[in-house]
């Protein structure tokens, strides 16, 4: 994943590279292309608002494609990126991990798409409780929640891609 490239570099990238950088954050070619096409951005906040607007404007089929690209909760690939993602949720208690797996399967069977949550700052029991609570939602409500969670995930990934607002000092 592109990390810490800075807004100026992102704004100056060739279209193809900019689309690739954004795609790594959002898993949507249409969103990535539209976000890259709207450059240059004056600041991070403007880019984030545009990313949110584009996400909320996507069709349900496009959101389903994004959801298919998200790893299952609790599946722990070893990459550095994964440590900040929902697949990194882990608990040393095997019964909690088993409960998470069972709940994720029930969630998928109930809604027809995988559970997504921006898990920054949460532990496995918190995620399990949230998943259990969200099982009470109807599909339309849950799809709205999913878009909000995807927006939060996109934001954290875009923040990692860009780095700090003022950029890094490259001495």
């Amino acid at each position: 994943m592109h990390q810490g490239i800075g807004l100026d570099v992102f704004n100056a990238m060739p279209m193809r590279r900019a689309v690739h950088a954004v795609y790594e954050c959002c898993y949507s070619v249409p969103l990535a292309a539209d976000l890259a096409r709207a450059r240059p951005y004056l600041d991070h906040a403007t880019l984030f608002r545009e990313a949110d607007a584009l996400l909320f404007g996507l069709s349900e089929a496009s959101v389903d494609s994004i959801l298919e690209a998200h790893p299952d909760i609790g599946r722990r690939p070893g990459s550095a990126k994964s440590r900040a993602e929902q697949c990194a949720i882990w608990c040393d208690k095997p019964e909690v991990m088993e409960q998470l797996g069972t709940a994720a399967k029930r969630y998928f069977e109930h809604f027809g798409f995988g559970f997504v949550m921006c898990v920054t700052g949460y532990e496995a029991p918190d995620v399990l409780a949230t998943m259990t609570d969200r099982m009470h939602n109807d599909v339309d409500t849950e799809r709205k929640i999913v878009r909000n969670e995807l927006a939060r995930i996109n934001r954290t990934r875009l923040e990692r891609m860009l780095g700090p607002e003022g950029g890094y000092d490259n001495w």
Side-chain angles (χ1 to χ4, degrees):
M1 178 178 190
H2 292 77
Q3 290 193 10
I5 64 173
L7 185 61
D8 291 338
V9 170
F10 175 68
N11 282 335
M13 281 181 164
M15 180 67 166
R16 198 178 220 169
R17 288 192 62 211
V19 169
H20 182 261
V22 175
Y23 178 82
E24 289 178 331
C25 298
C26 67
Y27 300 141
S28 169
V29 173
L31 191 154
D34 288 345
L35 199 60
R37 197 174 294 115
R39 292 173 303 155
Y41 294 97
L42 297 176
D43 54 31
H44 289 196
T46 304
L47 185 146
F48 298 151
R49 280 192 304 275
E50 182 67 11
D52 287 349
L54 290 167
L55 174 67
F56 286 98
L58 289 176
S59 69
E60 293 300 332
S62 291
V63 172
D64 287 341
S65 293
I66 295 169
L67 292 172
E68 289 173 13
H70 278 270
D72 293 335
I73 199 90
R75 199 178 73 193
R76 295 177 70 197
S79 74
K81 175 183 157 190
S82 295
R83 284 194 284 277
E85 301 283 339
Q86 71 178 26
C87 57
I89 285 295
W90 184 255
C91 182
D92 289 332
K93 297 177 182 175
E95 63 273 12
V96 172
M97 293 309 294
E98 187 176 322
Q99 290 170 349
L100 265 176
T102 300
K105 184 178 177 187
R106 275 196 329 264
Y107 179 96
F108 182 83
E109 290 168 353
H110 182 71
F111 291 112
F113 49 86
F115 178 79
V116 175
M117 178 180 171
C118 184
V119 298
T120 305
Y122 293 98
E123 300 290 329
D126 303 320
V127 174
L128 181 59
T130 299
M131 194 181 315
T132 301
D133 288 346
R134 285 172 49 184
M135 286 291 291
H136 299 289
N137 294 334
D138 60 70
V139 174
D140 289 339
T141 300
E142 188 59 20
R143 289 196 75 88
K144 289 175 186 172
I145 291 170
V146 163
R147 280 191 196 243
N148 284 318
E149 292 297 322
L150 288 173
R152 291 176 62 208
I153 291 167
N154 286 350
R155 170 74 58 101
T156 62
R157 290 175 177 176
L158 288 167
E159 286 172 343
R160 281 196 310 268
M161 178 190 81
L162 294 174
E165 182 75 44
Y168 290 108
D169 290 329
N170 295 323
W171 303 92

